[in-house]
Amino acid sequence: MKNDQKISRRSLLGGAMAVAVVQTSFASGVQIGVPDDPTKQMGVPPGKVGTRSAFEKLAKAPSDISSRSPLQDFKGMITPSDLHFERHHNGVPTIDPVTYSLTIHGFVDRPTVFSLADLKRFPSVSRIAFLECSGNFRTGKETMTPQDICGLTSQSEWTGVRLSTLFREVGVREKASWFLAEGGDAALMTRSIPVRKGWDDAIIAYAQNGEAIRPEQGYPVRLFLPGWEGNTSVKWLRRIELGDAPWHTREETSKYTEAIKDGKVRQFSFDIDARSIITFPTYPAQIERGWIEIRGLAWSGRGKVLRVEVSTDAGKTWQVADLQDPVLDKAHTVFRHLWRWNGNETLIMSRVTDETGYTQPTFRQLVEARGPDMGGYHLNPVTAWQVKPDGQVLNQPEQLNATR
């Protein structure tokens, strides 16, 4: 250090007491002072609940009925519980866990009412898996983030009791082929579910990411069906009725069906199709020439992600991306691809292939398969991002890219 750049001990200690800037805490709205040197000022003492740094501006994008997870801001495969997407049909009910009960009846030998304490006495299971709304697709503008386009998907560690355990407890009869799951919200959300899913991997979940499920996610108990469209994982679950046919409720007749060609409608399309999306670089990022790590998420409701490919030349060629461990069944998987950008305008995109051999389609392929009036459910097109010569990154709306 040159002599004229030396700093005296007195000036150093004096400067440490000064407050450089004042910012507003994103989480609490409380103004906080930011010292020049935090090593010279006592920090905040421990609190009852941990908080996110005031410098981290993570937030969901809410509407009257839903809020979207900020996929572009996540660093791994697990969604923080407070940033898990929400989708409600008549608001979030308040349910006392002490008086909560789950009734299982119908085609069973022993109709039973379970309390929350009863459910917690059974052997518990945990698994990491994604949840996604079947209407998870928006398009039409260049100024859209991954959160705007498909933020109605999130991933958690879900804990509870296997539904198959409860099936054995109540003695499900052989002729039972469907069950009705009913929620305790004001909408009385109900869905018909094949019994085979209950015997397979369905969970009666009471915990998420190591804590009780949050009210927005179904507190105190929800049904969780790994890999199936989100509304089948009925929240605030209060009743399961076994039968030999679907109930054809509102949510599986006038809603949550997909129009296909020749005036037909596809009903009970439970599985979430394989999908991927680049989460960086995306709008509103501004990049510079040189090496860039393209990052994103891929998932499939039918099993594990087998392969993710990335194109940096508008789909002319594709390169296999690296998958970040662990690669789990019916789970979000992080992918990465190193790209050297030369400053030319281009389109970047990703596509996933799952272990069944299914490959994520383009928007044009979806239109060809289902017709132009295919509705808004189960749409999983390849999403492209425009990289401008100045480094600006914009969404490439699928309608403009339908010919690819």
Side-chain angles (χ1 to χ4, degrees):
M1 178 181 292
K2 296 181 180 179
N3 291 335
D4 59 355
Q5 292 180 318
K6 289 183 179 179
I7 302 174
S8 69
R9 182 174 182 272
R10 181 184 297 273
S11 63
L12 179 62
L13 293 176
M17 301 302 295
V19 175
V21 294
V22 176
Q23 295 198 356
T24 301
S25 168
F26 179 78
S28 65
V30 178
Q31 286 191 333
I32 57 171
V34 182
D36 286 331
D37 185 352
T39 67
K40 300 298 189 286
Q41 182 171 319
M42 181 176 290
V44 178
K48 291 184 177 180
V49 179
T51 60
R52 189 171 288 114
S53 168
F55 297 102
E56 296 298 320
K57 309 303 182 183
L58 300 177
K60 292 186 287 190
S63 70
D64 291 339
I65 59 173
S66 66
S67 60
R68 296 169 175 269
S69 290
L71 304 181
Q72 66 279 355
D73 297 324
F74 295 154
K75 308 304 181 187
M77 62 187 294
I78 298 294
T79 304
S81 295
D82 60 347
L83 295 177
H84 194 288
F85 84 88
E86 300 177 40
R87 174 71 173 93
H88 312 313
H89 291 259
N90 212 324
V92 179
T94 300
I95 300 175
D96 187 341
V98 175
T99 59
Y100 167 81
S101 66
L102 170 63
T103 300
I104 303 182
H105 65 118
F107 286 10
V108 300
D109 295 330
R110 297 174 294 278
T112 305
V113 178
F114 298 94
S115 68
L116 181 58
D118 293 333
L119 296 176
K120 290 182 177 180
R121 276 195 285 267
F122 288 101
S124 66
V125 295
S126 292
R127 72 170 295 171
I128 295 172
F130 76 87
L131 187 68
E132 182 176 10
C133 175
S134 63
N136 188 25
F137 177 67
R138 296 291 184 274
T139 188
K141 296 190 300 182
E142 292 183 326
T143 54
M144 296 180 76
T145 66
Q147 179 178 28
D148 298 322
I149 296 167
C150 61
L152 292 179
T153 185
S154 302
Q155 178 151 283
S156 296
E157 179 192 43
W158 302 95
T159 300
V161 55
R162 292 186 186 276
L163 182 52
S164 60
T165 300
L166 301 185
F167 277 178
R168 293 185 182 92
E169 185 72 12
V170 300
V172 171
R173 296 173 184 169
E174 187 175 347
K175 64 179 180 179
S177 55
W178 290 79
F179 70 87
L180 182 75
E182 180 183 85
D185 58 339
L188 284 177
M189 176 72 178
T190 50
R191 284 302 307 263
S192 302
I193 308 297
V195 166
R196 60 176 172 80
K197 184 66 171 176
W199 285 115
D200 181 19
D201 58 359
I203 297 174
I204 304 299
Y206 47 74
Q208 173 190 12
N209 294 338
E211 64 175 353
I213 284 181
R214 298 195 171 200
E216 299 86 355
Q217 301 306 321
Y219 181 88
V221 170
R222 77 174 297 160
L223 177 65
F224 180 65
L225 304 180
W228 281 25
E229 59 182 16
N231 74 84
T232 63
S233 290
V234 174
K235 295 186 285 188
W236 314 293
L237 184 68
R238 72 171 192 170
R239 185 170 70 93
I240 292 177
E241 180 179 357
L242 281 294
D244 60 359
W247 277 255
H248 297 290
T249 70
R250 171 187 176 274
E251 308 304 333
E252 52 209 27
T253 52
S254 65
K255 304 295 182 183
Y256 297 102
T257 58
E258 301 101 57
I260 55 177
K261 290 182 177 179
D262 303 322
K264 297 180 180 179
V265 173
R266 185 171 66 170
Q267 190 181 19
F268 299 124
S269 51
F270 296 116
D271 293 302
I272 290 291
D273 297 317
R275 189 175 194 175
S276 70
I277 187 166
I278 291 172
T279 56
F280 181 84
T282 60
Y283 177 81
Q286 189 90 20
I287 62 175
E288 298 179 354
R289 294 186 185 188
W291 290 105
I292 296 169
E293 185 181 63
I294 296 174
R295 299 187 295 272
L297 292 172
W299 62 97
S300 173
R302 294 188 179 91
K304 293 182 179 180
V305 168
L306 177 66
R307 180 177 64 255
V308 176
E309 298 167 284
V310 171
S311 176
T312 58
D313 56 7
K316 297 185 180 78
T317 62
W318 295 85
Q319 296 82 41
V320 176
D322 294 325
L323 303 182
Q324 179 174 299
D325 289 331
V327 178
L328 302 178
D329 180 60
K330 301 171 186 173
H332 285 172
T333 300
V334 176
F335 66 86
R336 305 173 184 278
H337 176 70
L338 198 57
W339 171 48
R340 188 170 188 172
W341 182 49
N342 59 13
N344 293 336
E345 183 169 347
T346 190
L347 292 178
I348 61 173
M349 59 192 77
S350 65
R351 66 185 182 192
V352 59
T353 300
D354 67 21
E355 62 181 350
T356 71
Y358 174 93
T359 298
Q360 182 181 7
T362 65
F363 190 81
R364 178 182 178 180
Q365 288 173 323
L366 285 172
V367 172
E368 290 174 346
R370 303 183 192 174
D373 301 320
M374 56 186 171
Y377 298 116
H378 288 272
L379 299 179
N380 61 325
V382 169
T383 298
W385 300 94
Q386 310 170 55
V387 180
K388 298 294 187 179
D390 64 356
Q392 184 183 21
V393 183
L394 299 169
N395 175 46
Q396 171 77 351
E398 274 70 11
Q399 293 92 331
L400 301 180
N401 197 33
T403 59
R404 295 188 177 277

